[in-house]
Amino acid sequence: MYPQAFQPTFFPPVSGVSYPARMAAPNSPNMPMVSPSMTGMPNSPMMGGMMGASMVPPQVSSGSVMTPSGTVVQTQTPQFEQSYIENILRLNLGKVGTFYMTYENNSEWNAKIFKGVLEAAGRDHIIISDPKTGVRTILLMVNLDYATFDEPLVYQYPGVQGNPPTRF
């Protein structure tokens, strides 16, 4: 694969000079010796922190801004609740809804409709109750196709102040 055998060149360590300043043989005419004072960076991590403790860059959290002088500017980014079904349902607890569910690979009933008062909604479930009997039913979100309500829904789009104008 290679026409010639690789022969590494060994340069003995030079005290006070670190890579890349030590690329040629020590004291060779091609590469003069470099001292830390010549670089203008006495505590540089590249120089191994020879003159004292090495400098550590400041901790910067994701999304923070750093000025050219190295100061980290902390900004408070607004956290908006995302528009997920469970959040919309939570805004409408106590309302009567009709929930259309599909159950795959079920030979008895593939689709089923539930009607009841919305009591709770989580990331993966909905709890409704029958106002006549008081029976509570837990429905899994994974089976939910859609839901309908006979009254207007409370809905606040994330990041928008106030309610948008209604169109009728």
Side-chain angles (χ1 to χ4, degrees), residues 85-164:
I85 297 295
E86 70 261 19
N87 296 335
I88 298 168
L89 293 174
R90 282 188 202 122
L91 291 172
N92 293 281
L93 297 178
K95 295 185 178 181
V96 177
T98 305
F99 301 88
Y100 298 84
M101 313 293 279
T102 301
Y103 300 92
E104 294 180 20
N105 302 321
N106 189 325
S107 59
E108 289 184 40
W109 35 269
N110 182 285
K112 196 160 180 168
I113 300 171
F114 296 88
K115 187 165 187 160
V117 176
L118 181 59
E119 293 203 357
R123 181 171 291 187
D124 65 345
H125 66 279
I126 303 166
I127 300 175
I128 61 171
S129 65
D130 184 341
K132 295 177 186 167
T133 63
V135 173
R136 288 179 172 75
T137 306
I138 300 175
L139 306 171
L140 297 179
M141 283 284 197
V142 70
N143 299 324
L144 178 67
D145 292 326
Y146 64 96
T148 61
F149 292 86
D150 292 333
E151 56 186 300
L153 293 177
V154 175
Y155 179 63
Q156 178 68 47
Y157 191 77
V160 177
Q161 298 289 326
N163 286 321

Side-chain angles (χ1 to χ4, degrees), residues 65-73:
V65 178
M66 183 180 275
T67 64
S69 65
T71 306
V72 178
V73 178

